[in-house]
């Protein structure tokens, strides 16, 4: 009788597993066989569960649903249905129990992986966000620092002439009975500092308006040759006083599309700088010629030159390599900043080459027509 039951168990097991591709490897499924009195009469694989444990699976409603049973730390899916071939022995119902340990382990591993990825993603996002925010703030910090430095330098530059004017005025008030001729030296100094202050204020206003795009460029055809000759003649008196030779090498005819007033201002700045730093018996040459679709202008002198460490900072506002001499010459440190803005406004470029003790060459490139 026992052998018949075992044979019946195996036949039913093979029948139930017949739809599986490789039943020999399915170690998570157990078949329980019950008699009409609800007693366990067999299981495949054999001795998978104790009788007491198997009875816990008998509580599943037969043929209604699949139930999950938890025993200790282990979970099982249980399904029970009647045996339609009861002539094979006393097997009345068959229970299928499938372990969920592998699935739960996989889910736990997947959950840990997901949590790890989320945590790593949050950490990477925070670090990347801080890095990108820091990179994005660099130009803002630089702009803020430049603005703060500009305000401080402007205040310092304005304070000097204002202090001189204030002191000289007090000295005039101490001698109310003196004539203008007697106090002419003090009055001349007041006039000189007033002019310096006015020039500084004009330069500051120009740069402030350029930063806010309030200055407009009025483009028109500029006869560059005649403009340069006119400027050279205006500088003749100054160069003759300082015994400096000023000459122009011009290609004729030469026309430039731009703002004549701003180009005149640009050339005045460059010639004024060249004259300030060129000693007696020196030479200044201004050259202008056409180079394809560009107009080339250069101002060359054989003056004192500029130190290599100062070249990268020449276009910064209020920067002066030789501060003592620049202040004595009446410089404000804003000229080259204005020159660079004029070139940018004309879609051009400016370049300075200089060697200490040999001289300086400033090169300008303008497009012949507006872009």
């Amino acid at each position: 009788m026992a052998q018949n039951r075992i044979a019946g168990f195996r036949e039913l097991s093979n029948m139930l597993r017949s739809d599986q591709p490789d039943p020999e490897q399915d170690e998570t499924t157990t078949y329980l066989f019950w008699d009409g009195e609800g007693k366990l009469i067999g299981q495949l694989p054999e001795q998978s569960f104790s009788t007491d444990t198997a009875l816990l699976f008998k509580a599943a409603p037969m043929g209604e649903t699949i139930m999950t049973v938890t025993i200790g730390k282990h979970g099982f899916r249980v399904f029970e249905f009647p045996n339609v071939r009861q002539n094979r022995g006393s097997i009345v119902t068959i229970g299928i129990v499938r372990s969920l340990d592998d699935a739960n382990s996989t889910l736990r591993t997947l959950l840990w992986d997901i949590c790890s990825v989320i945590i790593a993603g949050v950490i990477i996002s925070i670090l990347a966000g801080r890095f990108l925010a820091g990179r994005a703030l660099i130009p803002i910090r630089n702009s803020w620092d430049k603005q703060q430095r500009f305000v401080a330098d402007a205040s310092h530059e304005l304070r000097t002439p204002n202090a001189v004017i204030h002191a000289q005025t007090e000295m005039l008030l101490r001698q109310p009975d003196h004539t203008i001729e007697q106090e002419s030296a003090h009055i001349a100094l007041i006039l000189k500092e007033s002019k310096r202050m006015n020039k500084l204020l004009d330069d500051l206003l120009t740069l402030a308006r350029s930063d806010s795009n309030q200055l407009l460029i009025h483009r028109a055809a500029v006869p560059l040759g005649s403009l340069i000759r006119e400027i050279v003649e205006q500088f003749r008196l100054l160069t003759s006083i300082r015994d400096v030779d000023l000459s122009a090498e011009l290609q004729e005819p030469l026309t430039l599309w731009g703002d004549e007033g701003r180009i005149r201002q640009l050339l005045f700045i460059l010639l004024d700088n060249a004259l300030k730093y060129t000693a007696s018996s020196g030479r200044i040459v201004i050259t202008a010629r056409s180079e394809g679709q560009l107009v080339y202008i250069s101002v060359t002198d054989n003056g004192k030159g500029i130190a290599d460490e100062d070249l990268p900072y020449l276009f910064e506002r209020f920067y002066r390599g030789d501060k003592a001499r620049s202040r004595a010459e009446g410089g404000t440190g804003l000229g080259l900043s204005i020159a660079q803005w004029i070139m940018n406004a004309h879609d051009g470029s400016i370049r300075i080459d200089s060697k200490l003790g040999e001289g300086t060459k400033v090169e300008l490139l303008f497009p012949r027509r507006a872009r």
Side-chain angles (χ1 to χ4, degrees):
M1 185 65 177
Q3 292 180 352
N4 292 336
R5 286 183 177 180
I6 293 174
F9 298 159
R10 295 188 183 279
E11 184 178 351
L12 284 172
S13 175
N14 292 333
M15 180 185 68
L16 293 170
R17 295 182 180 182
S18 61
D19 58 341
Q20 297 183 9
D22 191 2
E24 300 298 332
Q25 297 180 359
D26 188 3
E27 299 179 354
T28 62
T29 303
T30 301
Y31 299 93
L32 303 178
F33 306 100
W34 308 90
D35 61 14
E37 297 179 359
K39 294 181 180 180
L40 180 67
I41 59 176
Q43 53 182 308
L44 285 177
E46 297 179 3
Q47 299 180 350
S48 296
F49 300 104
S50 66
T51 303
D52 293 337
T53 302
L55 288 174
L56 297 176
F57 303 130
K58 193 67 178 66
M62 185 173 61
E64 292 184 2
T65 184
I66 299 175
M67 187 177 73
T68 300
V69 176
T70 302
I71 301 176
K73 296 182 179 180
H74 304 283
F76 302 90
R77 298 287 278 175
V78 182
F79 179 70
E80 190 173 295
F81 59 93
N83 180 15
V84 296
R85 302 178 64 182
Q86 295 187 18
N87 58 341
R88 291 292 181 180
S90 58
I91 300 174
V92 177
T93 58
I94 302 171
I96 301 176
V97 180
R98 187 173 183 87
S99 174
L100 298 178
D101 288 350
D102 289 345
N104 290 337
S105 176
T106 302
L107 290 175
R108 283 194 297 269
T109 302
L110 180 60
L111 180 61
W112 277 109
D113 292 343
I114 293 174
C115 292
S116 301
V117 170
I118 292 175
I119 293 172
V122 170
I123 294 174
I124 293 173
S125 299
I126 293 173
L127 296 177
R130 293 190 63 180
F131 173 76
L132 294 176
R135 291 288 298 272
L137 287 175
I138 289 176
I140 298 176
R141 291 195 189 100
N142 292 339
S143 177
W144 175 257
D145 292 341
K146 289 177 65 176
Q147 185 71 18
Q148 293 291 97
R149 188 166 60 250
F150 176 74
V151 172
D153 291 341
S155 301
H156 176 74
E157 294 293 335
L158 288 170
R159 186 183 297 115
T160 301
N162 183 65
V164 172
I165 292 173
H166 182 78
Q168 295 299 322
T169 305
E170 283 189 346
M171 293 185 66
L172 290 177
L173 291 175
R174 291 177 183 176
Q175 304 292 337
D177 55 334
H178 283 193
T179 64
I180 294 178
E181 183 178 358
Q182 290 175 312
E183 299 292 341
S184 59
H186 298 300
I187 295 174
L189 186 55
I190 292 174
L191 180 61
K192 177 183 177 182
E193 293 300 322
S194 297
K195 289 181 178 179
R196 181 167 176 262
M197 183 181 290
N198 285 335
K199 183 178 185 303
L200 178 59
L201 290 173
D202 287 341
D203 290 346
L204 288 173
L205 183 60
T206 298
L207 290 173
R209 287 179 174 175
S210 68
D211 288 342
S212 59
N213 295 322
Q214 293 181 5
L215 284 178
L216 300 178
I217 298 297
H218 303 284
R219 299 179 187 270
V222 179
L224 192 58
S226 60
L227 175 62
I228 292 177
R229 282 194 298 270
E230 178 185 341
I231 294 174
V232 168
E233 289 302 318
Q234 293 177 0
F235 270 83
R236 288 289 184 196
L237 178 60
L238 296 174
T239 55
S240 61
I241 292 174
R242 301 191 59 165
D243 191 24
V244 174
D245 179 48
L246 175 61
S247 61
E249 299 176 358
L250 307 176
Q251 174 185 333
E252 295 284 1
L254 188 59
T255 302
L256 173 64
W257 189 263
D259 189 319
E260 182 174 348
R262 294 300 174 187
I263 294 174
R264 181 188 298 271
Q265 181 183 12
L266 169 65
L267 296 176
F268 262 98
I269 290 172
L270 299 182
L271 287 174
D272 183 59
N273 283 345
L275 183 59
K276 283 178 183 177
Y277 302 112
T278 301
S280 298
S281 302
R283 176 178 172 81
I284 301 174
V285 179
I286 179 169
T287 303
R289 63 176 180 267
S290 174
E291 292 188 353
Q293 297 300 315
L294 300 174
V295 174
Y296 172 84
I297 303 174
S298 68
V299 178
T300 307
D301 65 71
N302 60 352
K304 60 176 294 187
I306 304 170
D308 292 339
E309 60 268 20
D310 293 327
L311 286 175
Y313 309 103
L314 291 179
F315 298 107
E316 291 188 5
R317 299 174 183 183
F318 293 109
Y319 183 84
R320 289 174 295 196
D322 189 348
K323 295 181 173 58
R325 181 172 179 178
S326 297
R327 185 166 281 117
E329 296 282 355
T332 63
L334 296 176
L336 288 178
S337 297
I338 296 175
Q340 186 182 46
W341 168 77
I342 293 173
M343 291 303 299
N344 291 338
H346 285 82
D347 301 319
S349 62
I350 180 171
R351 181 172 177 267
I352 299 179
D353 287 327
S354 184
K355 290 185 177 180
L356 202 60
E358 297 184 12
T360 302
K361 183 176 185 179
V362 182
E363 296 177 296
L364 311 175
L365 279 176
F366 290 90
R368 292 181 65 90
R369 300 289 298 182
R371 295 180 184 176

